[in-house]
Amino acid sequence: MSERKKTALIIEDDYSIFCVLELMLQDKGIGSVNADSLWAARNKIETMHPEFIFIDHFLPDGMGIDFIPTLRQAFPGSLIITMTAQNSPENKILAAINGSDYFLEKPFSLQDVYRSIGME
């Protein structure tokens, strides 16, 4: 019996960033699904069981950091990585308080992504 492929939910409205992350994760054997808004992410909650969740802070319909508790409740065992170019100490603290496991600053490198998922 084959092992189920690991998956990542990438909540990111910039399709080019999704594509870059998708390629990076493919190199580690991780499949990716994109949600370009919080609304789209809510629709994935019932159908996915991702090991990794990447969430942008600024999305068209709200703030990703505020949505982290919903993700944590829906996916208690998943690793949640917050992504933003707004890397202020306040955002880092709020992300951690809300349940984010890792804070990924944009622009990020391949090593940053692999470090965030524990696959350096």
Side-chain angles (χ1 to χ4, degrees):
M1 186 188 291
S2 66
E3 186 176 315
R4 184 177 77 84
K5 184 176 184 176
K6 290 185 178 185
T7 58
L9 173 59
I10 302 174
I11 307 167
E12 170 62 67
D13 61 321
D14 185 331
Y15 190 68
S16 63
I17 292 175
F18 164 73
C19 290
V20 167
L21 267 174
E22 180 180 42
L23 289 172
M24 290 176 172
L25 295 172
Q26 278 178 355
D27 282 345
K28 294 294 184 180
I30 301 168
S32 301
V33 173
N34 184 232
D36 61 2
S37 65
L38 298 177
W39 180 85
R42 280 186 188 91
N43 289 331
K44 303 289 185 196
I45 288 175
E46 298 299 320
T47 61
M48 286 192 73
H49 300 288
E51 285 78 14
F52 309 103
I53 301 167
F54 291 82
I55 185 164
D56 188 21
H57 179 42
F58 291 104
L59 292 158
D61 54 350
M63 301 300 225
I65 287 176
D66 296 335
F67 191 63
I68 294 170
T70 301
L71 294 170
R72 180 59 61 213
Q73 182 176 10
F75 307 113
S78 297
L79 189 66
I80 299 176
I81 300 105
T82 302
M83 306 179 294
T84 186
Q86 303 295 320
N87 55 6
S88 69
E90 295 83 11
N91 282 340
K92 290 178 181 179
I93 291 168
L94 186 56
I97 288 170
N98 282 347
S100 182
D101 296 299
Y102 198 89
F103 197 88
L104 191 59
E105 297 177 13
K106 292 179 182 176
F108 48 79
S109 69
L110 184 66
Q111 290 76 24
D112 294 334
V113 171
Y114 290 165
R115 188 176 306 116
S116 75
I117 61 173
M119 294 185 169
E120 290 182 87

